[in-house]
Amino acid sequence: MSRLTKEKDAKLEEVKKDLFASLGAIVSHDPQLRKNKAIKILEVGVGTGVNFSHYPNGSHLTVVDPNPHFVKYYNDNRKKFPNIHSQDIIVTTGEEMDQVESNSVDVVVMTLVLCSVGHTDKILQQILRVLVPGGKFYFLEHIREFDSEKYGIRQKLQDFLTETGIWPLLFDGCCLNRDMLSAINEAGFSSVIGERFYAPISNFFFKIIQPQLKGVAEK
Ligand SMILES: C[S@@+](CC[C@H](N)C(=O)[O-])C[C@H]1O[C@@H](n2cnc3c(N)ncnc32)[C@H](O)[C@@H]1O
């Protein structure tokens, strides 16, 4: 993962830049942070910490990831962003992140995580629990091919590689054929703006995760 995420694809970074642009306009629920024009963010499934560069200066960042092997890489990355007040990784799943207080964060960010979680509904309920009323959930996920007429082969390949267990075995439980938009729509957010799109991925092998979903939901 560290090797794969080290070299950032400029076009993919543009997609993220666009998605996260509105973070800068969020006003914190916390009076002290509000005074400093800062916000409180929780990132679920932080991995090596690839999203630091998209967070507004002064952000207070809490992070959760169940894989303890990411701690070293995350700690190396966070050193490069002294403008972000990042905390140590809480080593747990999003489904079990009970240490994070209810109604305590302005924003939850999750990128490329729902493909490998055990219980999508449970994690979405936890996100709703920790967000303040009016708080925002930013998501970016790869999903099952949504144009079966044009890209039916990719859809079949995604199903095959997932159902035979080959892809989950190679990529730490990752499933290629989930469609998360309906789960997010049904979770109980007051609004959801989600867009299916094709991510600008140049590596031929990873074109299988080109169909993606990005958006923002509000509690
Ligand atoms: C493909 S990586 C994505 C990492 C990072 N968010 C990114 O965009 O590069 C998937 C991450 O989700 C984490 N993860 C897997 N299951 C999880 C769960 N149930 N709750 C939270 N994170 C989980 C993994 O440990 C891994 O760090």
Side-chain angles (χ1 to χ4, degrees), residues 1 44-47 64-67 70 92-96 110-121 123 140-144 162 167-180 209:
M1 266 294 292
V44 180
V46 70
V64 163
D65 200 291
N67 187 338
F70 283 126
T92 188
T93 62
E95 293 95 317
E96 293 161 315
M110 197 156 68
T111 61
L112 307 180
V113 175
L114 283 179
C115 55
S116 41
V117 306
H119 304 278
T120 305
D121 295 347
I123 214 166
L140 173 71
E141 297 289 345
H142 68 78
I143 56 173
R144 187 170 189 244
T162 305
W167 194 269
L169 182 72
L170 288 175
F171 294 98
D172 197 19
C174 171
C175 297
L176 291 165
N177 59 354
R178 293 186 178 171
D179 173 16
M180 290 92 177
I209 60 162

Side-chain angles (χ1 to χ4, degrees), residues 34-213:
R34 202 160 54 224
K35 238 199 273 172
N36 299 332
K37 293 195 165 64
I39 56 171
K40 191 165 182 194
I41 301 174
L42 166 71
E43 184 170 341
V44 180
V46 70
T48 58
V50 294
N51 293 323
F52 281 110
S53 62
H54 300 286
Y55 294 150
N57 278 337
S59 295
H60 285 238
L61 180 65
T62 303
V63 299
V64 163
D65 200 291
N67 187 338
H69 301 292
F70 283 126
V71 169
K72 176 190 172 306
Y73 299 99
Y74 165 81
N75 285 339
D76 286 349
N77 260 334
R78 72 197 270 213
K79 282 189 203 134
K80 300 174 202 155
F81 295 88
N83 56 324
I84 309 294
H85 303 279
S86 53
Q87 295 178 0
D88 290 343
I89 293 187
I90 302 172
V91 180
T92 188
T93 62
E95 293 95 317
E96 293 161 315
M97 55 179 179
D98 299 328
Q99 297 97 315
V100 184
E101 258 183 68
S102 300
N103 301 309
S104 68
V105 299
D106 301 302
V107 167
V108 173
V109 168
M110 197 156 68
T111 61
L112 307 180
V113 175
L114 283 179
C115 55
S116 41
V117 306
H119 304 278
T120 305
D121 295 347
K122 214 167 163 189
I123 214 166
L124 292 171
Q125 289 314 307
Q126 284 278 37
I127 289 170
L128 274 164
R129 179 184 67 76
V130 301
L131 276 173
V132 295
K136 302 269 174 64
F137 168 41
Y138 285 71
F139 51 90
L140 173 71
E141 297 289 345
H142 68 78
I143 56 173
R144 187 170 189 244
E145 173 56 63
F146 44 89
D147 188 343
S148 53
E149 276 184 25
K150 201 163 172 194
Y151 300 113
I153 293 180
R154 172 154 56 201
Q155 196 179 67
K156 286 199 176 74
L157 193 58
Q158 287 177 326
D159 289 344
F160 172 79
L161 289 172
T162 305
E163 280 150 25
T164 52
I166 296 170
W167 194 269
L169 182 72
L170 288 175
F171 294 98
D172 197 19
C174 171
C175 297
L176 291 165
N177 59 354
R178 293 186 178 171
D179 173 16
M180 290 92 177
L181 187 55
S182 41
I184 296 172
N185 274 333
E186 285 156 24
F189 290 95
S190 65
S191 76
V192 177
I193 298 173
E195 183 195 342
R196 295 184 175 108
F197 71 108
Y198 291 104
I201 293 175
S202 37
N203 181 311
F204 180 75
F205 183 70
F206 286 107
K207 284 200 184 289
I208 195 128
I209 60 162
Q210 239 178 342
Q212 299 202 359
L213 168 71

